[in-house]
Amino acid sequence: MSVELKKEAAAAALELVEEGMRLGIGTGSTADEFSKLLGAKVASGFKITGVPTSERTHALCTSMSIPLTTLEEMPELDMVVDGADEVDHQFQLIKGGGGALLREKIVANAAEKMIVIADDSKLVDTLGAFPLPIEVNPFGFKATWKAVEKACAGLGLEGPLNLRGGDEPFVTDGGHYIIDASFGHISDASALSDRLLNIPGVVEHGLFLGYADVVILAGEKGVRQL
Ligand code: 5RP
């Protein structure tokens, strides 16, 4: 996705942000474009209060002088604007390519509305071509890995699992590891979600089901709001 398309999707989302909003701010290269545009608007006097979904977004927003707070101070938000790795026609998402899925989901759950910004290549008929990030506690993660394999096999999902970062595991803002599961095709996202969340070592997964309210897709032919 070109930076231009990311900016176009971000600009369309910014139009939905109203003065005074309590706003969740997403993570990733598309969300970064949103933060930059938001920062410019704030610099011209627009008032919002943001809650970032990652340390990375916190640093970017701070550099743009966007007023920030936490969910401890502000546990209910009006809206969150975030990117996605895949979106299907039911507005089910795969997120977590940037490793921020846990905070992103906590923030999305605290927000009344979720606006997703992406390029139109991320719209898919069936989720799963993008590897599903599964955030796991480092304690006993190999046992969790086995449990994930078993649970997924029960749904006919047998694609390879990879520890993000390999020998030097990627560590999330919450201090966890990520297993990326390449299933290819997830026909029942809801059943998979239930199975994964039933495994004690699984902290969260990147299936966002029932969160997205508006999807803004930028493409060669312009910006579409679904
Ligand atoms: C980070 C995410 C991102 O929103 C997702 O990976 C999309 O990123 P990008 O806009 O860079 O394609 O879920 O955890």
Side-chain angles (χ1 to χ4, degrees):
M1 181 185 184
S2 74
V3 178
E4 278 319 307
L5 291 184
K6 293 177 198 202
K7 276 189 190 153
E8 283 174 27
L14 190 58
E15 282 179 22
L16 303 177
V17 179
E18 294 167 16
E19 179 98 29
M21 267 190 169
R22 302 164 296 175
L23 187 66
I25 306 175
T27 298
S29 56
T30 318
D32 283 353
E33 294 307 321
F34 175 78
S35 299
K36 289 180 204 164
L37 293 176
L38 179 66
K41 198 162 177 182
V42 164
S44 70
F46 187 70
K47 290 195 175 29
I48 57 98
T49 307
V51 172
T53 53
S54 64
E55 296 300 326
R56 162 186 165 168
T57 298
H58 186 281
L60 176 61
C61 291
T62 302
S63 77
M64 307 289 305
S65 302
I66 296 171
L68 296 179
T69 187
T70 61
L71 286 182
E72 283 66 44
E73 297 294 326
M74 191 181 272
E76 291 178 330
L77 304 177
D78 298 300
M79 187 186 277
V80 59
V81 177
D82 205 345
D85 300 299
E86 281 186 346
V87 186
D88 75 8
H89 297 277
Q90 287 74 47
F91 285 16
Q92 302 187 117
L93 315 174
I94 287 184
K95 284 184 54 55
L101 61 134
L102 176 59
R103 291 192 186 184
E104 288 172 332
K105 200 178 274 189
I106 293 171
V107 170
N109 195 52
E112 208 167 294
K113 253 186 164 187
M114 181 180 195
I115 315 296
V116 175
I117 48 177
D119 76 296
D120 56 10
S121 71
K122 294 188 173 175
L123 183 65
V124 297
D125 288 331
T126 308
L127 298 177
F130 189 91
L132 177 69
I134 302 169
E135 186 157 346
V136 299
N137 197 297
F139 178 82
F141 83 92
K142 290 214 167 151
T144 303
W145 179 299
K146 290 273 167 215
V148 167
E149 263 177 353
K150 203 170 158 192
C152 296
L155 290 174
L157 298 169
E158 292 186 337
L161 306 183
N162 287 297
L163 180 65
R164 192 175 298 184
D167 291 341
E168 290 179 34
F170 172 87
V171 179
T172 68
D173 286 343
H176 308 126
Y177 292 167
I178 290 184
I179 296 172
D180 288 304
S182 300
F183 295 129
H185 200 85
I186 300 172
S187 50
D188 190 345
S190 177
L192 178 58
S193 169
D194 290 348
R195 284 194 178 220
L196 290 174
L197 293 178
N198 223 11
I199 299 169
V202 170
V203 179
E204 202 32 274
H205 58 68
L207 289 167
F208 281 54
L209 311 178
Y211 285 96
D213 298 289
V214 175
V215 176
I216 297 175
L217 296 175
E220 293 308 326
K221 291 185 183 156
V223 175
R224 278 189 292 159
Q225 188 172 309
L226 309 181

